[in-house]
Amino acid sequence: MIVEMRKGASKDEIDQVVAKARSMGFDVQLNHGTEKTVVAILGSDTGKAPTDVFALLPGVGSVQRIMKPYKLSSREFKPASTIVTVSDIQIGGPQVVVMAGPCAVESEEQVFQTAEAVMKAGARILRGGAYKPRTSPFAFQGLQEEGLKILSRVKASLGIPIITEVMDTHEVDLVAQHADILQVGARNMQNYSLLREVGKTGRPVMLKRGFSSTINEWLTAADYILAEGNENVILCERGIRTFEDSTRFSLDISSIPVARKFSHLPIIVDPSHPAGHFEYVPALAKAGIAAGADGLLVEVHPNPAQALVDGLQSLTFSNFEKLMAELRLVAQAVGRSL
Ligand code: PEP
Ligand code: MN
């Protein structure tokens, strides 16, 4: 249930709404907008509480039931779009943000060279997995802590912020010491303990959509992070499983306008994992920006043929540079910059 306070409602009036909700056994979260405060009343059986209990309190403008499963990530709770700030970069603002780098951290030289190349082409955040979710336990699992240290050294020398995946609750503190953005991978979208832990760090979190998850499930998963008081959540569409097998996944372009309509959170598109092949990446990347995404997460490798993970879908430096030039035009065509 969402209680919208009147413009200029006093702190006392807001406190009364909060106290009433708590006395009925519900949790609350507040969104202090520039115009007015919105109080989300949270609980599994808010449906049983009459809206009038809140509507009659002083300072209350309106009370709405939210029939959707997610609340904190909804536009009803927070009408204004969220901007997540990382260093001086705004994700969700007018400028499209490109995050690029290798699928996996393999060596310091590999990360350093890639960072230099993608920065030169206009990427503003460096990606690189130190912990890799692999289908087989016998495949390369990532350099783990050593990989994090490599990312930190490259960041210290080039000044580019880092996004890297955290797979396990036990590693959240360690990864948060190195990462500017914590990536929760598609396979972990419904790992609720992990979502709570990354929520507690307060660090920006990029939540990838599970490849068999609906948009409702994705936004409800985002609520787990937001419920810890962490407002810095970024959504990432990375393709879903369909009957189509000519690409690795099917990039669900429709999820961008849908998530935009129903949620205030910024949305990033990962064109690399759905494509599964470098030749398809530029088309999907451009489609993502054209459909209104706030940025991209792109895999780039100095020598894709030698990559330990996801070489086939990785762009070479020159292909990435070419893509960035094309993306500038697409961004401009939809009223954004890059
Ligand atoms: C990745 O970004 O390298 C990754 C493993 O992505 P996903 O979780 O979307 O498969
Ligand atoms: Mn990958």
Side-chain angles (χ1 to χ4, degrees):
M1 199 185 295
I2 293 288
V3 178
E4 207 173 314
M5 302 303 295
R6 286 209 186 99
K7 225 166 135 175
S10 68
K11 186 179 173 303
D12 251 18
E13 291 170 334
I14 298 167
D15 287 347
Q16 273 191 58
V17 172
V18 171
K20 185 79 204 165
R22 293 218 168 109
S23 76
M24 296 169 82
F26 300 128
D27 281 336
V28 290
Q29 278 243 355
L30 300 179
N31 172 43
H32 299 288
T34 44
E35 291 262 296
K36 47 192 152 191
T37 295
V38 180
V39 187
I41 317 267
L42 308 167
S44 54
D45 52 2
T46 54
K48 290 188 192 135
T51 52
D52 289 357
V53 168
F54 298 101
L56 290 169
L57 292 176
V60 170
S62 67
V63 184
Q64 287 177 62
R65 283 195 190 285
I66 298 200
M67 298 317 283
K68 302 186 192 86
Y70 53 88
K71 295 186 170 55
L72 304 179
S73 57
S74 75
R75 279 226 186 250
E76 278 103 340
F77 176 55
K78 184 172 181 282
S81 293
T82 289
I83 294 181
V84 174
T85 303
V86 177
S87 311
D88 60 340
I89 302 160
Q90 297 200 319
I91 303 169
Q95 205 173 350
V96 162
V97 176
V98 176
M99 313 177 187
C103 177
V105 172
E106 297 167 8
S107 70
E108 185 142 354
E109 195 191 5
Q110 171 233 20
V111 178
F112 190 86
Q113 281 181 6
T114 311
E116 273 194 321
V118 299
M119 284 171 83
K120 190 161 156 262
R124 290 196 293 158
I125 296 176
L126 177 68
R127 69 148 287 151
Y131 293 87
K132 294 306 305 174
R134 304 305 304 280
T135 306
S136 164
F138 310 116
F140 174 61
Q141 303 288 307
L143 294 183
Q144 311 197 351
E145 189 170 358
E146 181 49 30
L148 294 175
K149 288 181 182 159
I150 290 174
L151 288 168
S152 276
R153 288 199 289 271
V154 171
K155 176 185 164 177
S157 99
L158 297 177
I160 186 167
I162 302 292
I163 176 166
T164 194
E165 178 162 355
V166 56
M167 286 172 51
D168 195 289
T169 50
H170 300 109
E171 286 143 9
V172 169
D173 288 342
L174 176 66
V175 178
Q177 283 167 31
H178 297 270
D180 298 280
I181 306 175
L182 297 167
Q183 176 175 328
V184 174
R187 288 155 194 81
N188 269 320
M189 190 205 86
Q190 288 176 309
N191 180 340
Y192 302 120
S193 333
L194 182 63
L195 300 181
R196 283 204 183 93
E197 287 306 310
V198 296
K200 282 180 197 144
T201 64
R203 198 45 65 88
V205 177
M206 192 176 76
L207 179 65
K208 286 196 151 194
R209 178 181 179 186
F211 42 75
S212 302
S213 297
T214 63
I215 298 171
N216 268 353
E217 288 164 341
W218 186 24
L219 299 180
T220 311
D223 267 8
Y224 269 90
I225 306 167
L226 295 162
E228 296 299 331
N230 187 344
E231 294 173 0
N232 300 308
V233 180
I234 305 156
L235 301 169
C236 178
E237 167 61 54
R238 49 78 73 212
I240 53 174
R241 274 268 157 82
T242 67
F243 50 79
E244 182 52 61
D245 61 1
S246 54
T247 52
R248 195 172 171 194
F249 296 93
S250 296
L251 179 63
D252 183 11
I253 284 288
S254 332
S255 78
I256 302 158
V258 174
R260 170 81 67 227
K261 177 175 172 184
F262 292 108
S263 175
H264 54 85
L265 298 172
I267 308 156
I268 296 290
V269 162
D270 170 349
S272 304
H273 290 86
H277 194 293
F278 71 92
E279 278 180 23
Y280 304 140
V281 171
L284 301 190
K286 287 182 273 187
I289 297 305
D294 298 301
L296 297 171
L297 180 75
V298 186
E299 289 186 343
V300 178
H301 195 283
N303 184 356
Q306 297 292 318
L308 296 179
V309 193
D310 287 348
L312 188 59
Q313 69 199 31
S314 297
L315 298 185
T316 58
F317 296 166
S318 69
N319 280 341
F320 180 69
E321 205 183 315
K322 186 163 164 273
L323 171 61
M324 289 296 280
E326 293 170 5
L327 285 171
R328 271 186 199 100
L329 300 175
V330 178
Q332 216 174 21
V334 294
R336 312 282 290 261
S337 60
L338 178 70

